[in-house]
Amino acid sequence: MSEIDPAHNTNRVRESLRKQPEKHKIAVIIPARNEARLISHTVRACRALPGVDLLIVVDDGSDDNTGTHARQAGAVVVRHSVNRGKASALETGVKVASMRDLANGLPRHLLFLDADLGDSALEATSLIDAVQRGRADCAIATLPKQKGAGGHGFVVNRARKSIRRATGWHPIAPLSGQRCITREAVNDIMPFAPGWGVEAAMTIDLLVKGYTVQEVPCDFTHRATGNDITGKLHRADQYKDVWKATAIRRLSRHRVPVHARLQASLHQTPGSPYNAYERFESDEQE
């Protein structure tokens, strides 16, 4: 990992986005563990999303009937016999989606969603639209404040600060797992960072490689992490994984060159597509 030539990435990304208006089908990938109560609602809602023709639930070592409920709701279910973590479940889903692409057809775009969204999964329409219209290679959902959420923002702030240092981008929701992404982009950044560091690392890797990201407001609802002992342990695991994934990238100098990220940072506006190698009028005049 190292700093990348900005001219190379700007040219490649612009070409990538010019291709996007051609409509791709969508494969939904849902990593799930012990989500029997809500998974069927999530899957049924996803079936109504525009362009979706493949639903994959990766049962990551569940102790309940998550896989059975998902299959009955219409999903293709792949099971890990033991819990491997979210990143591994996502990678399994990507590989299964790739195997099911038509040999002579367009590769599907991928929609990553959490298993506990229930009926609110329908809100992912906005993410699909941003990618299908070619505004971004990866659309990331920002969610309203969730009822019962605990914590003091330590993990979010760590992720946000790491992304800003590496790319110049100031995300609102650096840990959001609700994302629609092109197949080209996801193939370019695999394998994913392990554990709960997957989202922050994914964002850094996309921007360093010259892809365009955009945050899109979505009215998702899901089970919030509380402030009890279980919630605190979960956030501790999150912090550890985010710190590890971002530290590896920082130590290996995996970042956007300083001039490019400073210029892009100065011109960014919340909710607009962000590309760290975008050229602005002030750059052309220098």
Side-chain angles (χ1 to χ4, degrees):
M1 295 181 181
S2 60
E3 291 188 352
I4 311 296
D5 173 49
H8 168 76
N9 276 332
T10 302
N11 292 337
R12 183 172 65 76
V13 173
R14 289 186 182 279
E15 181 63 27
S16 171
L17 288 178
R18 276 197 292 269
K19 295 177 182 178
Q20 292 314 307
E22 195 170 9
K23 295 293 185 181
H24 294 237
K25 292 296 185 180
I26 307 293
V28 181
I29 298 173
I30 304 174
R33 184 168 189 267
N34 295 337
E35 293 290 354
R37 188 173 68 86
L38 285 173
I39 189 63
S40 61
H41 297 280
T42 303
V43 169
R44 291 191 183 101
C46 288
R47 290 173 61 184
L49 290 169
V52 170
D53 71 341
L54 178 60
L55 273 157
I56 301 168
V57 171
V58 182
D59 182 355
D60 193 30
S62 294
D63 299 319
D64 61 9
N65 294 323
T66 293
T68 300
H69 287 290
R71 190 176 293 107
Q72 290 174 346
V76 174
V77 177
V78 183
R79 176 173 169 78
H80 291 169
S81 58
V82 296
N83 177 230
R84 300 184 193 173
K86 184 176 184 179
S88 179
L90 289 173
E91 287 184 349
T92 295
V94 171
K95 292 171 184 175
V96 172
S98 180
M99 289 189 294
R100 287 177 173 258
D101 281 341
L102 297 176
N104 298 319
L106 293 171
R108 293 178 176 89
H109 293 329
L110 305 175
L111 178 62
F112 299 146
L113 294 177
D114 289 346
D116 61 352
L117 295 178
D119 295 337
S120 74
L122 278 169
E123 293 292 322
T125 299
S126 300
L127 300 178
I128 294 171
D129 185 66
V131 174
Q132 290 282 38
R133 290 180 181 272
R135 295 198 300 266
D137 298 292
C138 179
I140 304 170
T142 59
L143 281 66
K145 185 174 177 59
Q146 301 295 301
K147 182 179 179 180
H152 302 283
F154 295 128
V155 186
V156 170
N157 289 333
R158 163 56 62 183
R160 184 180 292 127
K161 185 176 182 180
S162 298
I163 292 169
R164 177 179 57 80
R165 281 180 171 177
T167 69
W169 191 42
H170 301 254
I172 296 170
L175 299 177
S176 175
Q178 325 313 317
R179 301 176 175 223
C180 188
I181 184 170
T182 67
R183 176 63 59 77
E184 176 187 355
V186 82
N187 286 349
D188 208 8
I189 62 171
M190 286 181 66
F192 297 142
W196 300 108
V198 58
E199 287 92 4
M202 184 187 298
T203 300
I204 292 172
D205 293 348
L206 285 167
L207 289 171
V208 170
K209 286 181 175 288
Y211 292 99
T212 299
V213 302
Q214 181 181 11
E215 288 189 311
V216 179
C218 296
D219 194 20
F220 289 125
T221 57
H222 70 112
R223 182 178 58 255
T225 302
N227 211 25
D228 56 8
I229 186 62
T230 301
K232 290 177 180 178
L233 290 174
H234 173 68
R235 281 189 290 275
D237 283 339
Q238 275 189 307
Y239 191 94
K240 172 180 63 68
D241 288 348
V242 168
W243 182 89
K244 182 178 180 180
T246 56
I248 288 172
R249 284 154 177 77
R250 184 170 64 253
L251 292 173
S252 60
R253 300 174 65 85
H254 184 60
R255 62 195 183 197
V256 175
V258 62
H259 176 73
R261 67 176 180 263
L262 286 176
Q263 287 297 315
S265 178
L266 289 172
H267 289 87
Q268 69 180 293
T269 55
S272 296
Y274 181 85
N275 183 283
Y277 302 92
E278 187 70 57
R279 300 298 297 272
F280 302 94
E281 288 185 11
S282 58
D283 298 328
E284 302 293 340
Q285 294 170 0
E286 290 181 0

